[in-house]
mmCIF file of all heavy atoms in Angstrom:
data_model
loop_
_atom_site.group_PDB
_atom_site.id
_atom_site.type_symbol
_atom_site.label_atom_id
_atom_site.label_comp_id
_atom_site.label_asym_id
_atom_site.label_seq_id
_atom_site.Cartn_x
_atom_site.Cartn_y
_atom_site.Cartn_z
ATOM 1 N N PRO A 51 23.975 11.733 3.125
ATOM 2 C CA PRO A 51 24.561 11.278 1.864
ATOM 3 C C PRO A 51 23.560 11.406 0.719
ATOM 4 O O PRO A 51 22.365 11.368 0.929
ATOM 5 C CB PRO A 51 24.884 9.809 2.134
ATOM 6 C CG PRO A 51 24.860 9.654 3.604
ATOM 7 C CD PRO A 51 23.937 10.707 4.131
ATOM 8 N N GLN A 52 24.071 11.524 -0.458
ATOM 9 C CA GLN A 52 23.204 11.605 -1.620
ATOM 10 C C GLN A 52 22.561 10.251 -1.884
ATOM 11 O O GLN A 52 23.010 9.222 -1.394
ATOM 12 C CB GLN A 52 24.006 12.034 -2.840
ATOM 13 C CG GLN A 52 24.518 13.441 -2.749
ATOM 14 C CD GLN A 52 25.265 13.836 -3.999
ATOM 15 O OE1 GLN A 52 25.479 13.030 -4.898
ATOM 16 N NE2 GLN A 52 25.668 15.073 -4.073
ATOM 17 N N ALA A 53 21.503 10.275 -2.658
ATOM 18 C CA ALA A 53 20.772 9.050 -2.967
ATOM 19 C C ALA A 53 21.672 8.016 -3.636
ATOM 20 O O ALA A 53 21.513 6.820 -3.418
ATOM 21 C CB ALA A 53 19.574 9.365 -3.855
ATOM 22 N N SER A 54 22.644 8.464 -4.418
ATOM 23 C CA SER A 54 23.506 7.507 -5.127
ATOM 24 C C SER A 54 24.311 6.646 -4.163
ATOM 25 O O SER A 54 24.577 5.472 -4.458
ATOM 26 C CB SER A 54 24.433 8.235 -6.097
ATOM 27 O OG SER A 54 25.274 9.126 -5.391
ATOM 28 N N ALA A 55 24.703 7.179 -3.004
ATOM 29 C CA ALA A 55 25.432 6.377 -2.014
ATOM 30 C C ALA A 55 24.536 5.278 -1.472
ATOM 31 O O ALA A 55 24.970 4.127 -1.311
ATOM 32 C CB ALA A 55 25.940 7.272 -0.883
ATOM 33 N N ALA A 56 23.280 5.619 -1.188
ATOM 34 C CA ALA A 56 22.334 4.620 -0.687
ATOM 35 C C ALA A 56 22.036 3.582 -1.762
ATOM 36 O O ALA A 56 21.958 2.385 -1.471
ATOM 37 C CB ALA A 56 21.038 5.306 -0.241
ATOM 38 N N GLU A 57 21.874 4.018 -2.995
ATOM 39 C CA GLU A 57 21.594 3.088 -4.088
ATOM 40 C C GLU A 57 22.751 2.124 -4.297
ATOM 41 O O GLU A 57 22.538 0.917 -4.482
ATOM 42 C CB GLU A 57 21.295 3.862 -5.370
ATOM 43 C CG GLU A 57 19.989 4.625 -5.309
ATOM 44 C CD GLU A 57 19.783 5.534 -6.513
ATOM 45 O OE1 GLU A 57 20.585 5.469 -7.475
ATOM 46 O OE2 GLU A 57 18.825 6.313 -6.478
ATOM 47 N N SER A 58 23.969 2.612 -4.239
ATOM 48 C CA SER A 58 25.137 1.747 -4.414
ATOM 49 C C SER A 58 25.236 0.732 -3.280
ATOM 50 O O SER A 58 25.470 -0.459 -3.520
ATOM 51 C CB SER A 58 26.415 2.585 -4.455
ATOM 52 O OG SER A 58 26.407 3.440 -5.560
ATOM 53 N N ALA A 59 25.055 1.200 -2.039
ATOM 54 C CA ALA A 59 25.144 0.295 -0.893
ATOM 55 C C ALA A 59 24.037 -0.750 -0.936
ATOM 56 O O ALA A 59 24.268 -1.929 -0.631
ATOM 57 C CB ALA A 59 25.070 1.101 0.406
ATOM 58 N N CYS A 60 22.830 -0.349 -1.321
ATOM 59 C CA CYS A 60 21.722 -1.308 -1.393
ATOM 60 C C CYS A 60 21.908 -2.295 -2.537
ATOM 61 O O CYS A 60 21.555 -3.478 -2.410
ATOM 62 C CB CYS A 60 20.392 -0.565 -1.517
ATOM 63 S SG CYS A 60 19.844 0.143 0.057
ATOM 64 N N THR A 61 22.465 -1.847 -3.643
ATOM 65 C CA THR A 61 22.749 -2.758 -4.748
ATOM 66 C C THR A 61 23.738 -3.824 -4.304
ATOM 67 O O THR A 61 23.555 -5.019 -4.588
ATOM 68 C CB THR A 61 23.294 -1.979 -5.961
ATOM 69 O OG1 THR A 61 22.291 -1.047 -6.392
ATOM 70 C CG2 THR A 61 23.642 -2.894 -7.108
ATOM 71 N N GLU A 62 24.768 -3.418 -3.583
ATOM 72 C CA GLU A 62 25.755 -4.375 -3.067
ATOM 73 C C GLU A 62 25.127 -5.315 -2.039
ATOM 74 O O GLU A 62 25.422 -6.511 -2.022
ATOM 75 C CB GLU A 62 26.949 -3.643 -2.458
ATOM 76 C CG GLU A 62 27.829 -2.978 -3.492
ATOM 77 C CD GLU A 62 28.353 -3.951 -4.535
ATOM 78 O OE1 GLU A 62 28.812 -5.056 -4.175
ATOM 79 O OE2 GLU A 62 28.295 -3.623 -5.737
ATOM 80 N N ALA A 63 24.237 -4.793 -1.183
ATOM 81 C CA ALA A 63 23.554 -5.635 -0.191
ATOM 82 C C ALA A 63 22.659 -6.655 -0.883
ATOM 83 O O ALA A 63 22.557 -7.806 -0.438
ATOM 84 C CB ALA A 63 22.738 -4.773 0.767
ATOM 85 N N GLY A 64 22.022 -6.269 -1.970
ATOM 86 C CA GLY A 64 21.190 -7.200 -2.735
ATOM 87 C C GLY A 64 22.014 -8.314 -3.346
ATOM 88 O O GLY A 64 21.622 -9.483 -3.321
ATOM 89 N N ARG A 65 23.160 -7.964 -3.890
ATOM 90 C CA ARG A 65 24.050 -8.988 -4.468
ATOM 91 C C ARG A 65 24.574 -9.925 -3.378
ATOM 92 O O ARG A 65 24.671 -11.131 -3.582
ATOM 93 C CB ARG A 65 25.202 -8.314 -5.201
ATOM 94 C CG ARG A 65 24.769 -7.652 -6.486
ATOM 95 C CD ARG A 65 25.945 -7.097 -7.274
ATOM 96 N NE ARG A 65 25.458 -6.452 -8.480
ATOM 97 C CZ ARG A 65 25.774 -5.213 -8.840
ATOM 98 N NH1 ARG A 65 26.597 -4.497 -8.108
ATOM 99 N NH2 ARG A 65 25.274 -4.692 -9.938
ATOM 100 N N ALA A 66 24.909 -9.350 -2.210
ATOM 101 C CA ALA A 66 25.402 -10.168 -1.100
ATOM 102 C C ALA A 66 24.327 -11.124 -0.584
ATOM 103 O O ALA A 66 24.636 -12.190 -0.066
ATOM 104 C CB ALA A 66 25.882 -9.265 0.034
ATOM 105 N N ALA A 67 23.048 -10.746 -0.758
ATOM 106 C CA ALA A 67 21.937 -11.602 -0.328
ATOM 107 C C ALA A 67 21.609 -12.673 -1.366
ATOM 108 O O ALA A 67 20.695 -13.465 -1.166
ATOM 109 C CB ALA A 67 20.702 -10.749 -0.043
ATOM 110 N N GLY A 68 22.334 -12.674 -2.484
ATOM 111 C CA GLY A 68 22.137 -13.707 -3.493
ATOM 112 C C GLY A 68 21.182 -13.336 -4.607
ATOM 113 O O GLY A 68 20.779 -14.197 -5.381
ATOM 114 N N PHE A 69 20.831 -12.074 -4.710
ATOM 115 C CA PHE A 69 19.935 -11.630 -5.773
ATOM 116 C C PHE A 69 20.732 -11.166 -6.981
ATOM 117 O O PHE A 69 21.856 -10.667 -6.843
ATOM 118 C CB PHE A 69 19.061 -10.462 -5.305
ATOM 119 C CG PHE A 69 18.056 -10.825 -4.260
ATOM 120 C CD1 PHE A 69 18.195 -10.367 -2.966
ATOM 121 C CD2 PHE A 69 16.952 -11.607 -4.574
ATOM 122 C CE1 PHE A 69 17.265 -10.682 -1.991
ATOM 123 C CE2 PHE A 69 16.014 -11.928 -3.606
ATOM 124 C CZ PHE A 69 16.171 -11.469 -2.310
ATOM 125 N N ASP A 70 20.144 -11.305 -8.156
ATOM 126 C CA ASP A 70 20.672 -10.702 -9.367
ATOM 127 C C ASP A 70 19.988 -9.341 -9.471
ATOM 128 O O ASP A 70 18.834 -9.242 -9.886
ATOM 129 C CB ASP A 70 20.347 -11.564 -10.589
ATOM 130 C CG ASP A 70 20.781 -10.914 -11.888
ATOM 131 O OD1 ASP A 70 21.687 -10.050 -11.859
ATOM 132 O OD2 ASP A 70 20.199 -11.268 -12.930
ATOM 133 N N VAL A 71 20.679 -8.286 -9.047
ATOM 134 C CA VAL A 71 20.090 -6.945 -9.003
ATOM 135 C C VAL A 71 20.015 -6.389 -10.417
ATOM 136 O O VAL A 71 21.022 -6.237 -11.099
ATOM 137 C CB VAL A 71 20.899 -6.004 -8.085
ATOM 138 C CG1 VAL A 71 20.280 -4.624 -8.058
ATOM 139 C CG2 VAL A 71 20.992 -6.572 -6.685
ATOM 140 N N GLN A 72 18.779 -6.077 -10.847
ATOM 141 C CA GLN A 72 18.554 -5.563 -12.195
ATOM 142 C C GLN A 72 18.530 -4.037 -12.238
ATOM 143 O O GLN A 72 18.727 -3.459 -13.290
ATOM 144 C CB GLN A 72 17.252 -6.138 -12.745
ATOM 145 C CG GLN A 72 17.300 -7.644 -12.872
ATOM 146 C CD GLN A 72 15.951 -8.243 -13.231
ATOM 147 O OE1 GLN A 72 14.906 -7.658 -12.967
ATOM 148 N NE2 GLN A 72 15.989 -9.424 -13.829
ATOM 149 N N GLY A 73 18.261 -3.398 -11.111
ATOM 150 C CA GLY A 73 18.268 -1.942 -11.079
ATOM 151 C C GLY A 73 17.474 -1.377 -9.922
ATOM 152 O O GLY A 73 16.839 -2.097 -9.164
ATOM 153 N N VAL A 74 17.530 -0.051 -9.809
ATOM 154 C CA VAL A 74 16.802 0.681 -8.771
ATOM 155 C C VAL A 74 15.464 1.127 -9.340
ATOM 156 O O VAL A 74 15.407 1.732 -10.408
ATOM 157 C CB VAL A 74 17.618 1.898 -8.290
ATOM 158 C CG1 VAL A 74 16.824 2.741 -7.307
ATOM 159 C CG2 VAL A 74 18.932 1.448 -7.672
ATOM 160 N N VAL A 75 14.387 0.809 -8.629
ATOM 161 C CA VAL A 75 13.046 1.178 -9.066
ATOM 162 C C VAL A 75 12.665 2.556 -8.520
ATOM 163 O O VAL A 75 12.068 3.364 -9.211
ATOM 164 C CB VAL A 75 12.016 0.119 -8.614
ATOM 165 C CG1 VAL A 75 10.611 0.532 -8.974
ATOM 166 C CG2 VAL A 75 12.349 -1.223 -9.215
ATOM 167 N N GLY A 76 13.021 2.812 -7.279
ATOM 168 C CA GLY A 76 12.681 4.089 -6.660
ATOM 169 C C GLY A 76 13.414 4.261 -5.348
ATOM 170 O O GLY A 76 13.984 3.318 -4.803
ATOM 171 N N THR A 77 13.411 5.480 -4.847
ATOM 172 C CA THR A 77 14.074 5.787 -3.591
ATOM 173 C C THR A 77 13.379 6.965 -2.923
ATOM 174 O O THR A 77 12.851 7.842 -3.603
ATOM 175 C CB THR A 77 15.571 6.093 -3.825
ATOM 176 O OG1 THR A 77 16.170 6.452 -2.584
ATOM 177 C CG2 THR A 77 15.783 7.183 -4.831
ATOM 178 N N HIS A 78 13.333 6.951 -1.596
ATOM 179 C CA HIS A 78 12.813 8.106 -0.862
ATOM 180 C C HIS A 78 13.447 8.165 0.515
ATOM 181 O O HIS A 78 13.857 7.156 1.077
ATOM 182 C CB HIS A 78 11.285 8.100 -0.790
ATOM 183 C CG HIS A 78 10.729 7.108 0.183
ATOM 184 N ND1 HIS A 78 10.500 5.801 -0.151
ATOM 185 C CD2 HIS A 78 10.372 7.239 1.487
ATOM 186 C CE1 HIS A 78 10.021 5.163 0.907
ATOM 187 N NE2 HIS A 78 9.946 6.004 1.916
ATOM 188 N N GLU A 79 13.533 9.377 1.031
ATOM 189 C CA GLU A 79 14.148 9.606 2.328
ATOM 190 C C GLU A 79 13.145 9.372 3.442
ATOM 191 O O GLU A 79 11.979 9.722 3.312
ATOM 192 C CB GLU A 79 14.675 11.039 2.381
ATOM 193 C CG GLU A 79 15.640 11.288 3.494
ATOM 194 C CD GLU A 79 16.488 12.496 3.212
ATOM 195 O OE1 GLU A 79 15.914 13.571 2.972
ATOM 196 O OE2 GLU A 79 17.707 12.360 3.216
ATOM 197 N N VAL A 80 13.615 8.780 4.543
ATOM 198 C CA VAL A 80 12.781 8.534 5.706
ATOM 199 C C VAL A 80 13.164 9.562 6.767
ATOM 200 O O VAL A 80 14.327 9.649 7.156
ATOM 201 C CB VAL A 80 12.984 7.100 6.251
ATOM 202 C CG1 VAL A 80 12.165 6.887 7.509
ATOM 203 C CG2 VAL A 80 12.630 6.080 5.183
ATOM 204 N N ILE A 81 12.165 10.332 7.201
ATOM 205 C CA ILE A 81 12.387 11.369 8.202
ATOM 206 C C ILE A 81 12.057 10.798 9.575
ATOM 207 O O ILE A 81 10.994 10.221 9.773
ATOM 208 C CB ILE A 81 11.513 12.610 7.913
ATOM 209 C CG1 ILE A 81 11.759 13.133 6.493
ATOM 210 C CG2 ILE A 81 11.748 13.694 8.949
ATOM 211 C CD1 ILE A 81 13.158 13.601 6.227
ATOM 212 N N GLY A 82 12.960 10.971 10.526
ATOM 213 C CA GLY A 82 12.759 10.450 11.877
ATOM 214 C C GLY A 82 12.155 11.493 12.799
ATOM 215 O O GLY A 82 11.676 12.550 12.361
ATOM 216 N N THR A 83 12.202 11.201 14.087
ATOM 217 C CA THR A 83 11.679 12.139 15.069
ATOM 218 C C THR A 83 12.506 13.414 15.034
ATOM 219 O O THR A 83 13.701 13.391 14.785
ATOM 220 C CB THR A 83 11.735 11.527 16.482
ATOM 221 O OG1 THR A 83 13.077 11.155 16.755
ATOM 222 C CG2 THR A 83 10.831 10.311 16.596
ATOM 223 N N GLY A 84 11.869 14.512 15.260
ATOM 224 C CA GLY A 84 12.544 15.795 15.205
ATOM 225 C C GLY A 84 12.657 16.356 13.800
ATOM 226 O O GLY A 84 13.242 17.403 13.595
ATOM 227 N N GLY A 85 12.118 15.644 12.818
ATOM 228 C CA GLY A 85 12.133 16.139 11.444
ATOM 229 C C GLY A 85 13.461 15.986 10.728
ATOM 230 O O GLY A 85 13.662 16.580 9.684
ATOM 231 N N LEU A 86 14.378 15.211 11.289
ATOM 232 C CA LEU A 86 15.685 15.028 10.653
ATOM 233 C C LEU A 86 15.717 13.733 9.845
ATOM 234 O O LEU A 86 15.159 12.721 10.268
ATOM 235 C CB LEU A 86 16.780 14.988 11.720
ATOM 236 C CG LEU A 86 16.951 16.262 12.539
ATOM 237 C CD1 LEU A 86 17.981 16.053 13.633
ATOM 238 C CD2 LEU A 86 17.346 17.421 11.645
ATOM 239 N N PRO A 87 16.403 13.731 8.709
ATOM 240 C CA PRO A 87 16.514 12.517 7.900
ATOM 241 C C PRO A 87 17.313 11.457 8.655
ATOM 242 O O PRO A 87 18.351 11.761 9.227
ATOM 243 C CB PRO A 87 17.256 12.965 6.652
ATOM 244 C CG PRO A 87 17.453 14.421 6.751
ATOM 245 C CD PRO A 87 17.077 14.866 8.108
ATOM 246 N N GLN A 88 16.804 10.225 8.670
ATOM 247 C CA GLN A 88 17.521 9.163 9.378
ATOM 248 C C GLN A 88 17.954 8.032 8.456
ATOM 249 O O GLN A 88 18.921 7.345 8.750
ATOM 250 C CB GLN A 88 16.670 8.599 10.510
ATOM 251 C CG GLN A 88 15.454 7.815 10.053
ATOM 252 C CD GLN A 88 14.660 7.267 11.220
ATOM 253 O OE1 GLN A 88 14.842 7.684 12.350
ATOM 254 N NE2 GLN A 88 13.791 6.331 10.942
ATOM 255 N N SER A 89 17.233 7.829 7.356
ATOM 256 C CA SER A 89 17.597 6.747 6.446
ATOM 257 C C SER A 89 16.992 7.007 5.079
ATOM 258 O O SER A 89 16.245 7.957 4.887
ATOM 259 C CB SER A 89 17.110 5.399 6.991
ATOM 260 O OG SER A 89 15.707 5.360 7.047
ATOM 261 N N ARG A 90 17.324 6.118 4.149
ATOM 262 C CA ARG A 90 16.762 6.197 2.804
ATOM 263 C C ARG A 90 16.308 4.793 2.422
ATOM 264 O O ARG A 90 17.045 3.835 2.574
ATOM 265 C CB ARG A 90 17.801 6.701 1.801
ATOM 266 C CG ARG A 90 17.255 6.794 0.380
ATOM 267 C CD ARG A 90 18.185 7.554 -0.529
ATOM 268 N NE ARG A 90 18.233 8.973 -0.260
ATOM 269 C CZ ARG A 90 17.347 9.858 -0.728
ATOM 270 N NH1 ARG A 90 16.363 9.465 -1.494
ATOM 271 N NH2 ARG A 90 17.467 11.127 -0.447
ATOM 272 N N ASP A 91 15.064 4.690 1.971
ATOM 273 C CA ASP A 91 14.532 3.426 1.470
ATOM 274 C C ASP A 91 14.768 3.365 -0.030
ATOM 275 O O ASP A 91 14.467 4.321 -0.751
ATOM 276 C CB ASP A 91 13.035 3.293 1.751
ATOM 277 C CG ASP A 91 12.748 2.885 3.184
ATOM 278 O OD1 ASP A 91 13.689 2.527 3.912
ATOM 279 O OD2 ASP A 91 11.570 2.921 3.581
ATOM 280 N N VAL A 92 15.303 2.243 -0.483
ATOM 281 C CA VAL A 92 15.598 2.042 -1.899
ATOM 282 C C VAL A 92 14.864 0.779 -2.347
ATOM 283 O O VAL A 92 15.002 -0.273 -1.726
ATOM 284 C CB VAL A 92 17.117 1.889 -2.140
ATOM 285 C CG1 VAL A 92 17.412 1.626 -3.608
ATOM 286 C CG2 VAL A 92 17.872 3.112 -1.647
ATOM 287 N N MET A 93 14.061 0.898 -3.386
ATOM 288 C CA MET A 93 13.376 -0.260 -3.963
ATOM 289 C C MET A 93 14.221 -0.781 -5.122
ATOM 290 O O MET A 93 14.568 -0.032 -6.034
ATOM 291 C CB MET A 93 11.979 0.109 -4.453
ATOM 292 C CG MET A 93 10.999 0.450 -3.354
ATOM 293 S SD MET A 93 10.710 -0.891 -2.198
ATOM 294 C CE MET A 93 9.862 -2.070 -3.228
ATOM 295 N N LEU A 94 14.541 -2.071 -5.042
ATOM 296 C CA LEU A 94 15.369 -2.709 -6.067
ATOM 297 C C LEU A 94 14.546 -3.722 -6.857
ATOM 298 O O LEU A 94 13.720 -4.430 -6.289
ATOM 299 C CB LEU A 94 16.543 -3.447 -5.420
ATOM 300 C CG LEU A 94 17.530 -2.635 -4.603
ATOM 301 C CD1 LEU A 94 18.497 -3.567 -3.879
ATOM 302 C CD2 LEU A 94 18.285 -1.673 -5.492
ATOM 303 N N ARG A 95 14.785 -3.800 -8.145
ATOM 304 C CA ARG A 95 14.237 -4.868 -8.977
ATOM 305 C C ARG A 95 15.307 -5.947 -8.996
ATOM 306 O O ARG A 95 16.443 -5.701 -9.401
ATOM 307 C CB ARG A 95 13.952 -4.357 -10.383
ATOM 308 C CG ARG A 95 13.677 -5.423 -11.427
ATOM 309 C CD ARG A 95 12.346 -6.063 -11.382
ATOM 310 N NE ARG A 95 11.259 -5.108 -11.532
ATOM 311 C CZ ARG A 95 9.996 -5.436 -11.369
ATOM 312 N NH1 ARG A 95 9.677 -6.671 -11.065
ATOM 313 N NH2 ARG A 95 9.054 -4.551 -11.495
ATOM 314 N N VAL A 96 14.954 -7.144 -8.485
ATOM 315 C CA VAL A 96 15.912 -8.242 -8.393
ATOM 316 C C VAL A 96 15.325 -9.507 -9.014
ATOM 317 O O VAL A 96 14.110 -9.612 -9.187
ATOM 318 C CB VAL A 96 16.318 -8.526 -6.927
ATOM 319 C CG1 VAL A 96 16.972 -7.307 -6.303
ATOM 320 C CG2 VAL A 96 15.127 -8.978 -6.107
ATOM 321 N N ALA A 97 16.211 -10.438 -9.316
ATOM 322 C CA ALA A 97 15.782 -11.733 -9.844
ATOM 323 C C ALA A 97 16.480 -12.830 -9.058
ATOM 324 O O ALA A 97 17.625 -12.677 -8.638
ATOM 325 C CB ALA A 97 16.118 -11.840 -11.327
ATOM 326 N N ARG A 98 15.734 -13.921 -8.874
ATOM 327 C CA ARG A 98 16.303 -15.110 -8.234
ATOM 328 C C ARG A 98 15.413 -16.284 -8.589
ATOM 329 O O ARG A 98 14.197 -16.206 -8.479
ATOM 330 C CB ARG A 98 16.363 -14.950 -6.722
ATOM 331 C CG ARG A 98 17.051 -16.155 -6.067
ATOM 332 C CD ARG A 98 16.840 -16.238 -4.597
ATOM 333 N NE ARG A 98 17.729 -15.362 -3.861
ATOM 334 C CZ ARG A 98 17.699 -15.253 -2.536
ATOM 335 N NH1 ARG A 98 16.817 -15.931 -1.839
ATOM 336 N NH2 ARG A 98 18.522 -14.465 -1.924
ATOM 337 N N GLY A 99 16.006 -17.344 -9.033
ATOM 338 C CA GLY A 99 15.245 -18.549 -9.353
ATOM 339 C C GLY A 99 14.232 -18.352 -10.464
ATOM 340 O O GLY A 99 13.156 -18.936 -10.431
ATOM 341 N N GLY A 100 14.550 -17.524 -11.429
ATOM 342 C CA GLY A 100 13.649 -17.306 -12.555
ATOM 343 C C GLY A 100 12.529 -16.315 -12.290
ATOM 344 O O GLY A 100 11.734 -16.037 -13.175
ATOM 345 N N GLN A 101 12.438 -15.790 -11.064
ATOM 346 C CA GLN A 101 11.402 -14.807 -10.748
ATOM 347 C C GLN A 101 12.030 -13.426 -10.605
ATOM 348 O O GLN A 101 13.127 -13.277 -10.074
ATOM 349 C CB GLN A 101 10.693 -15.151 -9.446
ATOM 350 C CG GLN A 101 9.817 -16.363 -9.520
ATOM 351 C CD GLN A 101 9.070 -16.559 -8.206
ATOM 352 O OE1 GLN A 101 9.569 -16.236 -7.142
ATOM 353 N NE2 GLN A 101 7.858 -17.079 -8.305
ATOM 354 N N SER A 102 11.304 -12.418 -11.064
ATOM 355 C CA SER A 102 11.731 -11.040 -10.919
ATOM 356 C C SER A 102 10.777 -10.348 -9.952
ATOM 357 O O SER A 102 9.563 -10.335 -10.179
ATOM 358 C CB SER A 102 11.729 -10.337 -12.280
ATOM 359 O OG SER A 102 12.152 -9.004 -12.135
ATOM 360 N N ILE A 103 11.313 -9.811 -8.868
ATOM 361 C CA ILE A 103 10.496 -9.144 -7.850
ATOM 362 C C ILE A 103 11.151 -7.839 -7.431
ATOM 363 O O ILE A 103 12.300 -7.567 -7.790
ATOM 364 C CB ILE A 103 10.296 -10.045 -6.602
ATOM 365 C CG1 ILE A 103 11.652 -10.408 -5.985
ATOM 366 C CG2 ILE A 103 9.506 -11.296 -6.948
ATOM 367 C CD1 ILE A 103 11.547 -11.105 -4.642
ATOM 368 N N GLU A 104 10.425 -7.059 -6.644
ATOM 369 C CA GLU A 104 10.968 -5.848 -6.054
ATOM 370 C C GLU A 104 11.156 -6.074 -4.566
ATOM 371 O O GLU A 104 10.283 -6.625 -3.906
ATOM 372 C CB GLU A 104 10.033 -4.656 -6.291
ATOM 373 C CG GLU A 104 9.954 -4.232 -7.731
ATOM 374 C CD GLU A 104 9.033 -3.042 -7.945
ATOM 375 O OE1 GLU A 104 8.573 -2.433 -6.951
ATOM 376 O OE2 GLU A 104 8.774 -2.723 -9.112
ATOM 377 N N VAL A 105 12.315 -5.667 -4.066
ATOM 378 C CA VAL A 105 12.594 -5.755 -2.635
ATOM 379 C C VAL A 105 12.986 -4.371 -2.127
ATOM 380 O O VAL A 105 13.492 -3.543 -2.881
ATOM 381 C CB VAL A 105 13.707 -6.778 -2.309
ATOM 382 C CG1 VAL A 105 13.281 -8.181 -2.661
ATOM 383 C CG2 VAL A 105 15.004 -6.425 -2.988
ATOM 384 N N ARG A 106 12.736 -4.176 -0.845
ATOM 385 C CA ARG A 106 13.067 -2.896 -0.226
ATOM 386 C C ARG A 106 14.368 -3.033 0.541
ATOM 387 O O ARG A 106 14.620 -4.037 1.202
ATOM 388 C CB ARG A 106 11.961 -2.458 0.730
ATOM 389 C CG ARG A 106 12.197 -1.090 1.335
ATOM 390 C CD ARG A 106 11.011 -0.663 2.154
ATOM 391 N NE ARG A 106 10.921 -1.441 3.369
ATOM 392 C CZ ARG A 106 10.905 -0.937 4.591
ATOM 393 N NH1 ARG A 106 10.940 0.358 4.760
ATOM 394 N NH2 ARG A 106 10.824 -1.723 5.637
ATOM 395 N N CYS A 107 15.190 -2.004 0.458
ATOM 396 C CA CYS A 107 16.440 -1.943 1.188
ATOM 397 C C CYS A 107 16.427 -0.663 2.005
ATOM 398 O O CYS A 107 16.026 0.395 1.519
ATOM 399 C CB CYS A 107 17.616 -1.930 0.212
ATOM 400 S SG CYS A 107 19.223 -1.678 1.005
ATOM 401 N N SER A 108 16.856 -0.754 3.254
ATOM 402 C CA SER A 108 16.929 0.418 4.117
ATOM 403 C C SER A 108 18.396 0.767 4.333
ATOM 404 O O SER A 108 19.180 -0.059 4.798
ATOM 405 C CB SER A 108 16.249 0.130 5.455
ATOM 406 O OG SER A 108 16.349 1.267 6.291
ATOM 407 N N TYR A 109 18.752 2.006 3.991
ATOM 408 C CA TYR A 109 20.123 2.496 4.147
ATOM 409 C C TYR A 109 20.150 3.484 5.299
ATOM 410 O O TYR A 109 19.538 4.550 5.231
ATOM 411 C CB TYR A 109 20.583 3.174 2.850
ATOM 412 C CG TYR A 109 21.968 3.769 2.923
ATOM 413 C CD1 TYR A 109 23.096 2.969 2.792
ATOM 414 C CD2 TYR A 109 22.149 5.131 3.106
ATOM 415 C CE1 TYR A 109 24.366 3.511 2.842
ATOM 416 C CE2 TYR A 109 23.416 5.682 3.160
ATOM 417 C CZ TYR A 109 24.517 4.873 3.037
ATOM 418 O OH TYR A 109 25.773 5.408 3.093
#
Side-chain angles (χ1 to χ4, degrees):
Q52 293 182 355
S54 61
E57 292 173 8
S58 297
C60 283
T61 299
E62 289 303 315
R65 288 185 181 128
F69 292 110
D70 175 23
V71 180
Q72 297 172 336
V74 175
V75 176
T77 177
H78 75 274
E79 196 159 55
V80 177
I81 305 298
T83 57
L86 297 175
Q88 69 179 15
S89 64
R90 180 168 289 277
D91 281 350
V92 178
M93 292 299 292
L94 299 172
R95 167 76 59 188
V96 299
R98 184 195 279 179
Q101 290 185 328
S102 180
I103 59 171
E104 292 181 9
V105 295
R106 184 174 71 123
C107 174
S108 179
Y109 177 80

